[in-house]
Amino acid sequence: MDGTRIAGVDDVPEVGSYLFTAEDAFTNEWEVILVRCEEDPGVEAWVNNCTHEDQRLDRGSGAAMRDGQIICPRHGSMFDACSGACDNGEAAGTTLPDVDIAVEGGSVYLVDDNYTYLHEGGIGGGDGPSSSSHIGF
């Protein structure tokens, strides 16, 4: 497999997310989340930011999810875990930036030429802004 192993598929929770940090070609660090998806390959990877506002979807304890959608903790916009598309709330009409991965032999690999795997977990920096979401968790 060409790529860097991120985690085992079993490490990605059925509901929630697996958080890791990657670096782009300009040495900027990005948080990325792995989430379960019902479509092949069964896991998808998204940049860990709401498209509406600079808000982390996973603040270190897993992204909030409901019915196969990732919920922004700030305003409650919901993103499809398989496509990254949002059709409601402040982020309606946008799609989460994807990160190319491959799943093989029970492992998830980073295969995106735009990113280099750095480590499991986030960049750090606290819990992020408070929520003004209309959706309860």
Side-chain angles (χ1 to χ4, degrees):
M1 166 62 56
D2 287 336
T4 303
R5 185 180 186 279
I6 302 167
V9 172
D10 291 341
D11 295 327
V12 181
E14 291 294 329
V15 177
S17 58
Y18 179 93
L19 180 65
F20 71 95
T21 300
E23 183 178 77
D24 68 17
F26 303 103
T27 67
N28 298 308
E29 291 186 358
W30 293 90
E31 289 184 346
V32 180
I33 57 173
L34 299 176
V35 295
R36 292 291 182 126
C37 172
E38 292 186 14
E39 299 171 11
D40 278 340
V43 177
E44 290 293 337
W46 307 105
V47 172
N48 187 33
N49 271 64
C50 179
T51 55
H52 163 246
E53 195 172 277
D54 188 22
Q55 171 66 47
R56 295 165 67 206
L57 301 169
D58 179 338
R59 295 184 278 177
S61 58
M65 294 186 71
R66 181 184 296 156
D67 299 327
Q69 296 189 322
I70 305 161
I71 304 169
C72 175
R74 177 101 180 159
H75 293 114
S77 293
M78 298 172 74
F79 299 87
D80 183 87
C82 296
S83 70
C86 179
D87 63 3
N88 64 72
E90 300 288 337
T94 66
T95 302
L96 293 172
D98 66 325
V99 176
D100 291 336
I101 59 166
V103 176
E104 185 176 297
S107 292
V108 182
Y109 296 88
L110 179 63
V111 295
D112 196 313
D113 292 335
N114 297 312
Y115 296 98
T116 302
Y117 177 84
L118 293 179
H119 58 80
E120 178 182 355
I123 296 169
D127 292 332
S130 63
S131 174
S132 61
S133 174
H134 64 283
I135 296 177
F137 302 108

